[in-house]
Amino acid sequence: MPEKDIQQLSINTIRFLAIDAVQKANSGHPGMPMGCAPIAYRLYTKFMKHNPANPEWKNRDRFILSAGHGSMLLYSILHLCGYKISMDDLKNFRQFGSITPGHPEFGLAPGIETTTGPLGQGFANAIGMAIAQEYLGSLFNKSDVKILDHFIYGICSDGDLMEGISHEVASLAGHLKLGKLIFFYDDNGITIDGKTSLAFSEDIKKRFDAYGWQVLNIDDVNDLSQIDKAVEQAQKETNKPTLIITKTHIGFGSPKKQDTASAHGSPLGEEEVKVTKKNLGWDENKFFFIPDEVADHFNKMKNTFSSYENEWNKLFESYKKKYPADAEKFVKVFNYDFGDEWKNALPSFTNYAENIPTRNASGSVINAIAKHLPTLIGGSADLEPSNNTYIKESTKFSAENRSGRNFHFGIREHGMGGILNGMALYGGVIPYGGTFLIFSDYMRPSIRLASLSGVRPIYVFTHDSVGLGEDGPTHQPIEHLASLRAIPKVIVIRPADANETVEAWKVAIEHKSSPVALALTRQKVPVFDRTKFASAENLSKGAYVLVQSEKNPEVILMASGSEVALAVEAFNQLQAEGINARVVSFPSWELFELQTNEYKDSVLPKSIKARVSIEAGVKQGWEKYIGDFGEAICIEKFGASAPYEIIFKEYGFTVDTVVALAKKVLVKVKSKHGL
Ligand SMILES: Cc1ncc(C[n+]2csc(CCOP(=O)(O)OP(=O)(O)O)c2C)c(N)n1
């Protein structure tokens, strides 16, 4: 069969695998794969250096399907290339427990580089990956051997480019001159509601030109020579990311549905599947059909695919000979194997007379460990002096300086969230990003996806309560701790003092499977005298007894962050009045929940029912720990613009209130128990 015919047959195979899977699942998005099949085919078979036998190969070209609703496009091409996605997996599209869910999920099927579906996120992830590649390249590439030297391809859709996050990250990608990025824009003029003209009329070319991207055009996606020309030109441009505006037809080939919104999000319908098959010269009675010629065509590519990796392996061998220390470091970095030196370098705060904001302690930790964690890299969304995220021994990452470890994400929290995910997904780096806790709202969709994907960016959220003071209610988080705690698997840590902050960072570096959010104070808090109080190392257990009366405690005061100091003051007062109490420092619910029941009972014994929680945020969730008799000192309204001491006083965060509540719960407990 002539080359052209086999190409066409392969492209139609992708289309019909997608159509059949969507039809079988009776849900999904056939239109996008039908339109974009030629792009996926050409990239995976001609341009991308990848090896289906080893999807983890470090120097593979990446492919990001930002328009994740078109997942069947990705599953089909991966299946054809020989990734471990079987025909049964395709038939189980969107079924419980399958590796082919409605939208691609990182970690489920090989070859899926990131979880996409929420539009705009994949596009941001790709930019994070490009950044990670540049940084790691600066560490390991030599003028004579480049071991990280690949492209990051992707497809984004109208929806991706409408979403705000795409504006944020495209702007940064242009600024940073990320030349390895090559994105196709699936310009099919259709979204769910109908034509894009309903809500979208900007000139995409001008927009991306203005960001500093190279912008290319393809008039007809079905003309493979146009794809080839565009990709070749994109590869040559090393100083700018490239957007290839590609005219496609949603639902291509479907007589009734092509170019209409009805091809977007529902099966074509049995009748329309038939006529579409007829229309494109396919046997209408065949389902999930891969013609022999197509199977052969892809089989023959296996050697080429593995040769890409073999060539790189040879390159790496020569690298190893010339640069043995770097080669060893390369392997270690991707295994996050940094030895114990960083732990030995962790600071200890022993001047107990000092009051230190936990954000400052965090800055000290970053700078103490940075030397031993060469791929700890991060920055802030333009709040670096407030977040204390700067690594002083390093420089700023920029278009001219890829070895800088300090990132200026600009005022783009959502973009930063998506980029951090891409960096974490790339591997090898430990990315962190800072902003005020209040603005975690601006990056929440990305935080959720990091957790769903099982990757670990570290968030440095400072200004963690009304304790930030005069900036007022617009800047004072109230519901944010609860809201972050509500996201499954996110580890939220609100350390009480400088030494707990050290331990919080230790957890953050060691925890690799979900995001860690550090909530840190702007205001000064005391450094607890650890010769008198329990060790801060207990932070890793999420909650621990910080101090208690010698005799059996009758009441538990539990608090997180800056409110722990208040709990200790109230404890002293209660002691003075002859009431035995216990202070539980409670920096992390999630870490506490990971402990054994025995440990949990030892910190919060069932027998002590008199409990008070103190946290400068909503009560939501504390009920679980304070129980039926407990009381919470919390904030159920917005904050106020004033010096923080005044706000805390006005909002009931005083020793008197804590003591009074402790007594109240004691009375409640005693009367209920008829004592
Ligand atoms: C953040 C977000 N909002 C809404 C959706 C729901 N949604 C899925 S696809 C889509 C838009 C489809 O238009 P387009 O991006 O042009 O894709 P196409 O119709 O070309 O397949 C929307 C709104 C989503 N996936 N993510």
Side-chain angles (χ1 to χ4, degrees):
M1 194 181 271
E3 180 75 12
K4 277 213 157 154
D5 293 352
I6 189 82
Q7 289 167 352
Q8 202 47 53
L9 204 59
S10 302
I11 291 167
N12 281 341
T13 305
I14 298 173
R15 288 190 172 119
F16 288 112
L17 285 175
I19 288 172
D20 287 343
V22 171
Q23 192 63 41
K24 180 163 189 291
N26 200 21
S27 81
H29 301 76
M32 189 273 181
M34 291 163 78
C36 291
I39 304 174
Y41 169 74
R42 210 54 174 162
L43 283 179
Y44 274 86
T45 59
K46 183 174 163 93
F47 290 104
M48 282 172 56
K49 294 200 164 155
H50 64 120
N51 183 10
N54 180 12
E56 309 268 298
W57 169 37
K58 298 292 174 257
N59 196 44
R60 67 191 181 278
D61 284 331
R62 272 51 168 190
F63 176 80
I64 310 301
L65 183 69
S66 192
H69 58 275
S71 54
M72 267 314 300
L73 175 73
L74 192 49
Y75 299 146
S76 304
I77 187 68
L78 291 175
H79 170 77
L80 290 171
C81 287
Y83 285 83
K84 281 198 175 126
I85 298 179
S86 68
M87 184 55 91
D88 278 345
D89 293 326
L90 298 187
K91 289 179 180 167
N92 277 329
F93 179 51
R94 291 185 159 238
Q95 302 310 303
F96 189 80
S98 79
I99 62 166
T100 48
H103 297 84
E105 293 177 32
F106 176 73
L108 275 192
I112 306 294
E113 300 284 359
T114 178
T115 303
T116 53
L119 290 162
Q121 298 290 336
F123 188 63
N125 298 162
I127 285 150
M129 291 178 190
I131 287 173
Q133 177 184 203
E134 293 292 351
Y135 176 72
L136 290 169
S138 81
L139 276 189
F140 296 110
N141 287 345
K142 308 287 175 189
S143 53
D144 57 339
V145 204
K146 286 192 172 159
I147 51 171
L148 283 178
D149 187 19
H150 62 81
F151 291 101
I152 294 159
Y153 298 97
I155 299 180
C156 60
S157 64
D158 299 309
D160 285 302
L161 294 192
M162 286 189 208
E163 287 292 348
I165 189 172
S166 76
H167 295 251
E168 296 182 15
V169 298
S171 160
L172 188 60
H175 176 76
L176 291 174
K177 301 190 177 16
L178 298 171
K180 292 286 189 182
L181 267 178
I182 302 175
F183 254 85
F184 286 83
Y185 160 41
D186 175 19
D187 183 13
N188 61 20
I190 294 289
T191 63
I192 292 179
D193 281 2
K195 289 197 164 50
T196 45
S197 56
L198 288 169
F200 194 48
S201 45
E202 72 222 35
D203 184 327
I204 293 290
K205 175 168 163 41
K206 282 189 185 157
R207 178 179 149 193
F208 277 76
D209 270 344
Y211 291 144
W213 287 52
Q214 167 177 240
V215 184
L216 306 174
N217 284 287
I218 291 178
D219 303 331
D220 177 5
V221 73
N222 291 309
D223 174 357
L224 298 189
S225 69
Q226 287 195 32
I227 297 183
D228 294 354
K229 207 171 135 222
V231 175
E232 278 155 16
Q233 205 172 330
Q235 289 180 337
K236 274 189 209 130
E237 176 54 84
T238 54
N239 242 340
K240 290 176 174 183
T242 296
L243 187 76
I244 306 171
I245 301 177
T246 311
K247 282 277 174 221
T248 68
H249 295 278
I250 193 166
F252 177 82
S254 159
K256 278 214 185 102
K257 303 212 165 172
Q258 176 175 320
D259 298 324
T260 71
S262 62
H264 166 85
S266 42
L268 295 183
E270 277 173 23
E271 198 41 48
E272 190 62 12
V273 171
K274 265 191 191 166
V275 290
T276 305
K277 284 184 178 171
K278 246 189 197 161
N279 192 30
L280 294 181
W282 208 254
D283 185 339
E284 64 187 79
N285 297 312
K286 292 204 163 132
F287 299 91
F288 293 98
F289 175 58
I290 300 175
D292 288 344
E293 299 89 328
V294 172
D296 278 357
H297 177 56
F298 277 92
N299 259 335
K300 280 188 197 135
M301 281 180 231
K302 272 193 183 148
N303 287 341
T304 316
F305 291 151
S306 54
S307 74
Y308 293 140
E309 190 186 352
N310 290 342
E311 267 169 45
W312 184 84
N313 286 340
K314 275 187 215 143
L315 186 81
F316 192 69
E317 279 309 311
S318 68
Y319 181 86
K320 226 175 178 173
K321 282 203 187 104
K322 262 186 150 169
Y323 310 102
D326 290 302
E328 195 186 341
K329 189 167 157 189
F330 182 83
V331 174
K332 283 192 169 168
V333 153
F334 275 97
N335 288 329
Y336 301 105
D337 171 8
F338 300 108
D340 281 340
E341 280 164 352
W342 69 274
K343 285 185 213 164
N344 301 332
L346 285 166
S348 175
F349 295 86
T350 51
N351 182 355
Y352 303 123
E354 221 179 343
N355 291 321
I356 304 176
T358 54
R359 63 170 169 152
N360 289 19
S362 167
S364 302
V365 179
I366 292 174
N367 278 284
I369 59 180
K371 196 171 166 199
H372 307 286
L373 298 173
T375 58
L376 177 70
I377 56 177
S380 162
D382 200 51
L383 286 168
E384 181 267 306
S386 299
N387 301 145
N388 292 329
T389 41
Y390 205 82
I391 298 176
K392 296 191 185 95
E393 67 174 48
S394 186
T395 50
K396 296 175 175 47
F397 182 92
S398 69
E400 296 74 33
N401 176 26
R402 301 305 201 195
S403 62
R405 299 169 65 178
N406 294 294
F407 288 78
H408 293 274
F409 292 102
I411 306 110
R412 304 182 180 100
E413 294 82 4
H414 197 181
M416 175 171 76
I419 287 173
L420 291 173
N421 290 357
M423 292 161 88
L425 285 156
Y426 190 87
V429 295
I430 306 175
Y432 63 88
T435 183
F436 291 159
L437 178 58
I438 191 101
F439 301 131
S440 60
D441 280 345
Y442 272 54
M443 50 194 297
R444 188 175 175 80
S446 305
I447 299 175
R448 185 174 193 280
L449 275 172
S451 200
L452 175 59
S453 306
V455 292
R456 174 271 312 258
I458 300 169
Y459 307 117
V460 181
F461 292 139
T462 69
H463 297 57
D464 71 345
S465 77
V466 292
L468 66 86
E470 291 84 347
D471 266 349
T474 53
H475 284 51
Q476 292 164 345
I478 298 291
E479 72 281 19
H480 297 76
L481 290 168
S483 140
L484 289 170
R485 286 170 181 152
I487 306 177
K489 284 172 51 193
V490 174
I491 307 277
V492 181
I493 311 181
R494 187 167 184 248
D497 74 344
N499 288 309
E500 277 198 13
T501 308
V502 174
E503 298 301 323
W505 265 102
K506 191 166 169 236
V507 170
I509 299 290
E510 289 186 321
H511 178 85
K512 300 183 184 82
S513 57
S514 66
V516 176
L518 305 177
L520 305 166
T521 68
R522 169 182 187 253
Q523 77 275 23
K524 290 180 175 176
V525 290
V527 179
F528 295 117
D529 180 348
R530 298 289 169 171
T531 62
K532 297 192 181 118
F533 293 97
S535 162
E537 281 176 23
N538 290 297
L539 172 131
S540 63
K541 297 179 195 152
Y544 63 100
V545 179
L546 181 68
V547 62
Q548 66 177 353
S549 311
E550 273 172 29
K551 287 199 195 128
N552 285 345
E554 303 163 79
V555 59
I556 298 175
L557 307 177
M558 58 185 92
S560 79
S562 46
E563 287 71 71
V564 177
L566 174 60
V568 171
E569 279 186 69
F571 164 82
N572 290 336
Q573 176 75 33
L574 288 167
Q575 285 256 97
E577 295 184 29
I579 298 171
N580 296 326
R582 159 181 290 190
V583 175
V584 169
S585 178
F586 212 144
S588 174
W589 294 3
E590 297 78 19
L591 293 177
F592 187 60
E593 290 305 329
L594 291 174
Q595 306 310 309
T596 60
N597 284 338
E598 199 183 355
Y599 177 77
K600 286 195 261 182
D601 288 347
S602 76
V603 177
L604 302 175
K606 291 194 177 65
S607 57
I608 311 179
K609 298 206 180 316
R611 302 174 179 190
V612 177
S613 69
I614 315 163
E615 186 174 80
V618 292
K619 174 180 173 184
Q620 188 177 314
W622 278 106
E623 297 88 343
K624 178 172 177 184
Y625 300 114
I626 58 178
D628 292 345
F629 298 94
E631 293 279 349
I633 298 181
C634 54
I635 305 177
E636 303 295 339
K637 57 185 176 183
F638 293 113
S641 175
Y644 77 91
E645 296 91 338
I646 307 285
I647 308 172
F648 273 131
K649 185 162 163 273
E650 293 290 332
Y651 280 50
F653 286 78
T654 64
V655 176
D656 288 349
T657 323
V658 181
V659 169
L661 266 189
K663 289 178 181 168
K664 185 177 155 192
V665 289
L666 272 170
V667 170
K668 256 204 279 185
V669 169
K670 282 179 184 165
S671 66
K672 289 270 178 187
H673 283 243
L675 297 172

